[in-house]
Amino acid sequence: MVLGALFTLATTFLVIGLGFCLTLHIAARYALGDVPVRNALAGLVPAVVVFSLTLAGRPLPAAAIAIIAEVIVVKSVYDVSYPRSGFITLVHFTVSFLLGFALQNLLALLGTAPT
């Protein structure tokens, strides 16, 4: 029972982390052009913040803290100014929202398919 719960938490974090890394890379390529893929690992920072604070029952401050943390991390990883870092973060969260919304609707549609 405990092992199943840990596996569920680990796979949930893995999906969130990979999704944030992918969407951060898309946002950085949009704003900066050609960037190294390894810099996309900076997407794990907001993933950790969102995941841990949501588990702790604090979803509202999680978004604000994740945005602030990502602006700081993107500034240092991509070596850009704060306004450019804020723009990349804005694009990242927009792409993440759109991708999540599309996937949620796709799963809902598949859930109503006849068996």
Side-chain angles (χ1 to χ4, degrees):
M1 178 103 143
V2 173
L3 190 59
L6 289 176
F7 179 74
T8 302
L9 286 174
T11 51
T12 302
F13 176 73
L14 184 66
V15 169
I16 291 170
L18 288 175
F20 272 33
C21 289
L22 173 69
T23 54
L24 178 59
H25 187 65
I26 291 169
R29 285 193 56 114
Y30 172 74
L32 301 174
D34 194 24
V35 293
V37 175
R38 70 179 178 275
N39 288 357
L41 290 175
L44 290 176
V45 171
V48 166
V49 171
V50 168
F51 187 73
S52 60
L53 288 178
T54 302
L55 280 179
R58 305 278 188 222
L60 288 179
I65 294 170
I67 289 171
I68 292 168
E70 184 171 345
V71 167
I72 294 167
V73 169
V74 166
K75 181 191 181 320
S76 65
V77 169
Y78 290 101
D79 194 30
V80 294
S81 65
Y82 277 115
R84 175 71 56 118
S85 176
F87 176 70
I88 294 169
T89 301
L90 176 68
V91 172
H92 172 233
F93 275 89
T94 303
V95 171
S96 294
F97 174 79
L98 292 174
L99 182 63
F101 187 72
L103 288 175
Q104 179 184 8
N105 285 328
L106 177 64
L107 290 174
L109 182 64
L110 291 174
T112 62
T115 55

